[in-house]
Amino acid sequence: MPARKPAPRKPTRGARRPAPIPPPVHPESGRGGRTERGVAFRRHTMADQVHGLLRREIVVGHLLPRTMLSEQELSQRFGVSRTPVREALIKLADETLVEIYPQYGSFVAPIKLAEVFDSQFVRESLECSAIERAVERLDKTQAANLSAILQRQRTLHRAGDHEGFFAADEAMHALIMEIAGHANAWRQVENAKAQMDRVRLLSSRNVVKRPKVIGEHALIVDRLLHRDRDGAMAAMRTHLRGIFRSVEILRASHGNYFADE
């Protein structure tokens, strides 16, 4: 009788460190499948996840301008190989959020002032048009939602939660676009304002800045509720142009965060 082949050993518990970013399963690779298509899908999805995490940390200011980004350290931190990290950094460089210098290293890019001002132009053009339409379309439920967001911002300010405050800020502007009947247009705004958001988030840490923003938001909501089209547009325009003053203040205290070109 031929000798039985020994059963394959199960991997010992703890032999591999679990990755913080779990690899997704490709829907067409089957259970445990390792087709070339499946492996490629997992790798690119992993790069997308690393990209999303790093992008958020750059925009919210956890990774400050000109911070060095080590591929090795990032791969260890996320529990992935260096390939998805490298792919994520290349994508961030395409978005002008990272600068890559061959043979030297990768760094968080400084805030590009030209892109900040372009973003402001896009926002003012779209959001002033949106609020003009929102005045005509606003209903009672939407009015209550706007007031609730404004109250949430006040609560988050008192709690010192500047990231939550920023999220509520975004929610208010997105809701106005939705009331105007152009919810999808908010995506266009979001895609255009990464550099602008870096300024806004750094500014939101200033305890003096947040009450000013709340006051501007309160005026916008008040003019909307009173169906004052010209007043609402003027309040929105003044609010969105506040980014210019924020840039001046930050450049005076953190000039190395910015690049003129």
Side-chain angles (χ1 to χ4, degrees):
M1 181 179 294
R4 288 187 179 182
K5 293 181 179 180
R9 291 185 178 179
K10 294 182 179 180
T12 57
R13 200 173 188 85
R16 291 178 58 190
R17 181 168 60 87
I21 305 175
V25 177
H26 189 281
E28 297 183 14
S29 65
R31 293 191 177 184
R34 294 184 58 81
T35 63
E36 290 183 6
R37 184 177 178 185
V39 171
F41 179 89
R42 287 194 291 271
R43 188 192 75 210
H44 290 305
T45 302
M46 195 74 71
D48 289 342
Q49 292 181 67
V50 173
H51 165 267
L53 291 168
L54 289 176
R55 188 182 193 280
R56 182 181 183 280
E57 292 190 355
I58 291 170
V59 172
V60 303
H62 292 169
L63 289 172
L64 294 174
R66 306 188 191 278
T67 299
M68 186 173 186
L69 301 169
S70 163
E71 287 185 11
Q72 182 176 351
E73 290 178 1
L74 290 172
S75 66
Q76 291 174 349
R77 174 187 165 192
F78 294 126
V80 299
S81 70
R82 295 177 68 164
T83 299
V85 171
R86 188 174 301 117
E87 291 173 357
L89 292 175
I90 290 171
K91 188 173 180 179
L92 289 166
D94 290 340
E95 297 171 344
T96 70
L97 293 173
V98 164
E99 293 178 340
I100 300 174
Y101 299 95
Q103 311 303 321
Y104 188 60
S106 300
F107 300 81
V108 176
I111 298 169
K112 310 294 194 300
L113 284 176
E115 292 186 28
V116 172
F117 299 148
D118 284 346
S119 299
Q120 193 283 332
F121 176 79
V122 170
R123 288 200 71 177
E124 184 173 325
S125 300
L126 289 177
E127 295 197 52
C128 285
S129 295
I131 203 165
E132 183 179 18
R133 295 200 65 187
V135 166
E136 302 169 357
R137 298 166 57 96
L138 183 70
D139 62 31
K140 290 182 179 179
T141 300
Q142 293 163 341
N145 289 339
L146 283 170
S147 298
I149 291 173
L150 189 58
Q151 184 55 45
R152 185 159 76 247
Q153 275 202 297
R154 293 189 178 103
T155 301
L156 291 165
H157 165 57
R158 288 193 294 268
D161 184 351
H162 72 275
E163 288 185 32
F165 182 89
F166 178 82
D169 187 321
E170 294 283 276
M172 194 200 81
H173 286 273
L175 179 55
I176 290 172
M177 297 290 280
E178 181 182 333
I179 294 168
H182 295 287
N184 290 334
W186 179 248
R187 297 176 190 171
Q188 306 298 322
V189 175
E190 284 187 308
N191 291 336
K193 66 187 183 69
Q195 298 285 2
M196 186 179 186
D197 284 348
R198 296 174 75 186
V199 174
R200 292 171 62 211
L201 274 151
L202 286 169
S203 297
S204 72
R205 297 180 180 182
N206 187 334
V207 294
V208 176
K209 173 69 174 178
R210 293 198 296 267
K212 187 173 187 300
V213 170
I214 290 172
E216 291 170 357
H217 281 182
L219 181 58
I220 291 169
V221 172
D222 178 75
R223 292 301 85 201
L224 264 174
L225 297 182
H226 284 84
R227 310 285 179 176
D228 178 2
R229 184 188 66 180
D230 292 341
M233 291 176 66
M236 179 65 80
R237 185 173 290 109
T238 298
H239 173 58
L240 294 176
R241 291 184 179 182
I243 194 71
F244 300 130
R245 178 58 180 158
S246 295
V247 167
E248 289 179 10
I249 293 171
L250 283 172
R251 289 192 78 183
S253 58
H254 299 89
N256 63 317
Y257 285 3
F258 294 89
D260 292 325
E261 295 298 329

